[in-house]
Amino acid sequence: MGDWAALLPRLSETDRRQVEVGLAEADERIRAVLRTASTYHWESSVTSVPEWATVRSWPVEERRRAALAMHRESASAMSDVVRNLATADVTFTRADLVWCLDVVACRGGVDNGTELELPALIAPRLTAAELADLVPALSALSSEVVDDYFIAAATRRRTVMLFGRAIDRATGSPLPSSLLHDGDTFGPAVRAELGDALVAPGVPELLEHCATLDKPAASKTWLRHLDDLLAAANGGPQVVRRLLDAFAAHGRSVHDDSDRLLRGLVWALSRERDEEATDLLARVTATAAAAPRQASGFPHAQRTAITAVRLLADRDGDAPVRTLARLAGTVRNRAVRSRVEAALTSLGARRGWSLSEVMELAVDDHGLGPDGRLPTPVGSYEATVEIAGDRARLIFARDGVPLKGVPAQVKQAHGDELAWLRDAVKRVGATLVSERQRVEGLLSEERTWSYPDWSSRFLDHPVTATFGRRLLWETSGDGQRWTAGLPRRDPDGWTLVDRAGRALPHGQVRLWHPVRADTAEVLAWREHLLAAGLTQPFKQVFREIYLRTPAEEKTHTYSNRFAGHILRYRQANALLRGRGWQAGYLGTWDGGYESEATKAFGGGEWRASFDHALVDNPDPDRYDVEHCSTDQVRFARRDGTAWQPAPIVDVPPLVFSEAMRDVDLFVGVTSIATDPEWADRGEDRFSAYWRRAVVAELTPSAQVRRDALARLLPRMAIADRVDLSDRHLRVCGNLRAYRIHLGSGNVMMEPDDAYLCIVAARERTGRLHLPFDDDPLLSTILSKAIMLAADDKITDTTVLAQLRRGGATGQA
């Protein structure tokens, strides 16, 4: 029971007897009607059957008593009956309201909200004088209902609205208390900030109307009434803008009631077509679609986001393109994400762009210069937001001398400027993350660019350039013969140069992919990359390729290549989402035992799906999901707004290779085979799988890892102590020899193949240059090799104990 019950005035015995007079007779009479109608159960509405017509003819006092009787006996089951008994012509008293609330309190408080049906109907019918001493209890009860998400949304809104009307009548408040209530921090803050503007003539009516929109799309009738209210309200359009501007600045999640109000306000803002309105709509859209870091699937205001996305796509200018494109790379909520993608497609169609080109043209430069820097004077210092590698950072300098941190004077005297600069770093960093993902996604598309478009979008853009300048591209004059090269800045602009440094003729440009190159070209570019010391933003030259197999052509519609693996589920799910796949979370509930992860490829024209299933936890006291098993990979082609299953032979090579690469990544990184401590589990039910997987044939990702090691190891100090075989890296230590499996990273000690468990706290490879940084297992293998080559200097007691058990007897 909530605190509201303690605030409820006590009902005198005289008043109680007066309320309860005749209730037993009324109860018997109404139940006779219910029995006759044979509809006395939860699902049916007795008020729709012919027998109910006799009840409508009862005197108002008889219906009043029947409503009170139903409230006392069946408060949570017969709300429809109660509502139809307590029609507008029935008069209730203050004692009736207190009695009804006392009944709810005696039952232990609010359950599903329907028990408040009758008191919520009675309260607005009383006078201000009758309600005066009930305001504290009604306010506390409303606050409890507002925060109770176990109550159905429609019931909660109705109850809060009706109690709110009663409270407003008693207090004389012109602004409905059901609007901008204390269910979140946004409502009270806005009430305090806007003050009198919210109660100006016509404004409360406008806000109430905005809160009535039940669907994302507004009807013509609703919009006509909205226009009338906007015209009649004193400063109505300005209040709309101020409220939405406050929400954009609020930047946090809001209550469902506030979300509904904001959705209506967004429609009100859309009636204005000026550039400022468009910019405000873009900011509101971004805030509504954003989500807390710890709950990325739950936007701050999902209803508002869905509506705002649609309205924003119909606006002119750059702000809609930039905002929607940024959301396409950051939103994790399925409902909002699908609307964003549909809005971008619609926007692109209106402007003559493909979805991929919309995303490309919308990349925000955040005011950075061509060098990726934004210098800003702050007092006697110069602050610079800059891109360093793949990250954004803030640095300070004075008289041209760089400083190590933020000067104390800046913290003390320029707090607002410092906050803006730090926020700018976050914004640039978010764009870098989404842009890296977008550019890597181009590897599954057959996109070409003219030379000017290519250089302006990928080499001159201050954000995208940090990726584009380190990638391999191809150029062609006829679209048939393509020549690969790396970008180079010449006095007259950007050009592509081959491995010998010769400039290539300008023509069409496309992103290079190894699936279109022969083996000699791939190997030559790998060697060139290492020699030049170039680190690519993601694997491109060293990228794995996946070609169709006869087995996959035989199964026709699916691939079993990565089926039958056991993955660490939470890590696998996080990696799925990090790579842009959408999947329902597995769990021990109805529908939670299987999941299908999906991701669009080929510029949104193809979709891959990856089936995985929960592996039951043998511990009955644990409900979290530890492991999942992998199953089929399938493909589908876009058909309008639907997806049509497609045979594997029809899937473009780029799409197939990129999708299978992702699935291989999930398996390779999260399989229990990569867990170095699994061998100590004894007779575990997965031990047979683990033993097979730790020495299995190399997958394409492991084969690329082997090729990288073959090029890196000769450059290392341990070159004379290592040797590569088909599946292992053999390391000769001073105590014994070891074999590191290139697929799992697990270590076996010679000569008896005893397992050596090494859990590295941090992988270290010294100053060795790696051509890519998105294969953590490569770094792990190298760090283990470096450590084992000097095994006589190992101080870790856990590793030493294993070496002793293995019987190390001298140099291998």
Side-chain angles (χ1 to χ4, degrees), residues 48-112:
S48 62
V49 300
E51 288 83 356
W52 190 258
T54 61
V55 177
R56 295 193 182 97
S57 66
W58 289 358
V60 293
E61 179 61 19
E62 190 68 20
R63 282 185 276 131
R64 168 189 163 274
R65 291 174 180 173
L68 292 171
M70 287 292 94
H71 174 77
R72 180 176 64 181
E73 301 299 332
S74 309
S76 62
M78 301 299 292
S79 59
D80 187 47
V81 172
V82 169
R83 189 162 51 249
N84 279 272
L85 287 168
T87 52
D89 58 335
V90 179
T91 301
F92 291 93
T93 66
R94 174 189 176 279
D96 290 338
L97 176 58
V98 176
W99 181 88
C100 286
L101 292 174
D102 193 47
V103 168
V104 176
C106 289
R107 291 181 176 212
V110 179
D111 183 15
N112 62 5

Side-chain angles (χ1 to χ4, degrees), residues 609-677:
S609 61
F610 170 44
D611 295 332
H612 52 291
L614 176 150
V615 175
D616 289 336
N617 194 329
D619 185 351
D621 296 326
R622 296 191 61 177
Y623 295 96
D624 58 324
V625 180
E626 285 192 81
H627 303 102
C628 70
S629 61
T630 63
D631 208 328
Q632 299 173 352
V633 177
R634 296 174 180 268
F635 293 87
R637 180 190 287 111
R638 182 181 292 279
D639 183 10
T641 58
W643 294 97
Q644 296 297 330
I648 285 182
V649 293
D650 291 346
V651 180
L654 292 179
V655 171
F656 183 84
S657 185
E658 288 301 300
M660 299 301 280
R661 178 182 184 271
D662 268 4
V663 178
D664 189 6
L665 176 69
F666 306 148
V667 172
V669 172
T670 69
S671 168
I672 63 171
T674 62
D675 185 349
E677 297 180 315

Side-chain angles (χ1 to χ4, degrees), residues 576-743:
L576 275 166
R577 296 178 184 277
R579 293 290 300 173
W581 291 68
Q582 302 290 313
Y585 202 84
L586 293 175
T588 54
W589 51 77
D590 187 25
Y593 287 85
E594 296 178 337
S595 181
E596 179 189 54
T598 60
K599 178 181 176 179
F601 291 89
E605 294 303 310
W606 288 86
R607 187 183 72 177
S609 61
F610 170 44
D611 295 332
H612 52 291
L614 176 150
V615 175
D616 289 336
N617 194 329
D619 185 351
D621 296 326
R622 296 191 61 177
Y623 295 96
D624 58 324
V625 180
E626 285 192 81
H627 303 102
C628 70
S629 61
T630 63
D631 208 328
Q632 299 173 352
V633 177
R634 296 174 180 268
F635 293 87
R637 180 190 287 111
R638 182 181 292 279
D639 183 10
T641 58
W643 294 97
Q644 296 297 330
I648 285 182
V649 293
D650 291 346
V651 180
L654 292 179
V655 171
F656 183 84
S657 185
E658 288 301 300
M660 299 301 280
R661 178 182 184 271
D662 268 4
V663 178
D664 189 6
L665 176 69
F666 306 148
V667 172
V669 172
T670 69
S671 168
I672 63 171
T674 62
D675 185 349
E677 297 180 315
W678 200 271
D680 293 333
R681 296 199 176 198
E683 292 302 318
D684 186 88
R685 58 186 174 144
F686 298 140
S687 58
Y689 164 76
W690 185 87
R691 284 193 294 269
R692 289 195 308 270
V694 294
V695 293
E697 182 179 349
L698 300 187
T699 64
S701 61
Q703 291 170 11
V704 169
R705 189 177 303 125
R706 184 191 183 285
D707 184 68
L709 286 168
R711 299 170 190 283
L712 291 168
L713 291 171
R715 295 173 165 84
M716 298 178 64
I718 62 171
D720 61 341
R721 288 181 168 265
V722 295
D723 180 54
L724 270 177
S725 64
D726 288 344
R727 302 184 188 184
H728 296 88
L729 172 62
R730 186 175 185 272
V731 182
C732 290
N734 293 313
L735 301 178
R736 63 189 304 162
Y738 313 87
R739 288 185 296 115
I740 307 175
H741 189 258
L742 303 180

Side-chain angles (χ1 to χ4, degrees), residues 14 16 48 65 137 152 155 160 199 269 274 302 356 375 381 426 464 487 523 526-527 673 691 727 743 799 809:
T14 301
R16 183 179 299 280
S48 62
R65 291 174 180 173
T155 301
V160 171
V199 296
L269 179 65
D274 58 277
Q302 180 171 328
S356 184
Y381 300 90
K426 290 181 181 179
T464 312
L523 296 179
R526 288 179 179 178
E527 191 63 35
R691 284 193 294 269
R727 302 184 188 184
V799 177
T809 58

Side-chain angles (χ1 to χ4, degrees), residues 142-178:
S142 294
S143 295
E144 180 178 316
V145 173
V146 159
D147 291 334
D148 193 340
Y149 281 90
F150 290 100
I151 299 177
T155 301
R156 178 179 49 73
R157 290 198 307 275
R158 174 180 169 79
T159 302
V160 171
M161 179 187 67
L162 291 172
F163 280 138
R165 288 177 183 173
I167 295 168
D168 298 338
R169 177 175 295 174
T171 60
S173 172
L175 181 65
S177 57
S178 58

Side-chain angles (χ1 to χ4, degrees), residues 19-31 62 65 69 72-73:
V19 171
E20 294 177 350
V21 168
L23 291 195
E25 295 81 358
D27 180 73
E28 183 176 346
R29 187 176 182 188
I30 188 64
R31 288 185 185 278
E62 190 68 20
R65 291 174 180 173
R72 180 176 64 181
E73 301 299 332

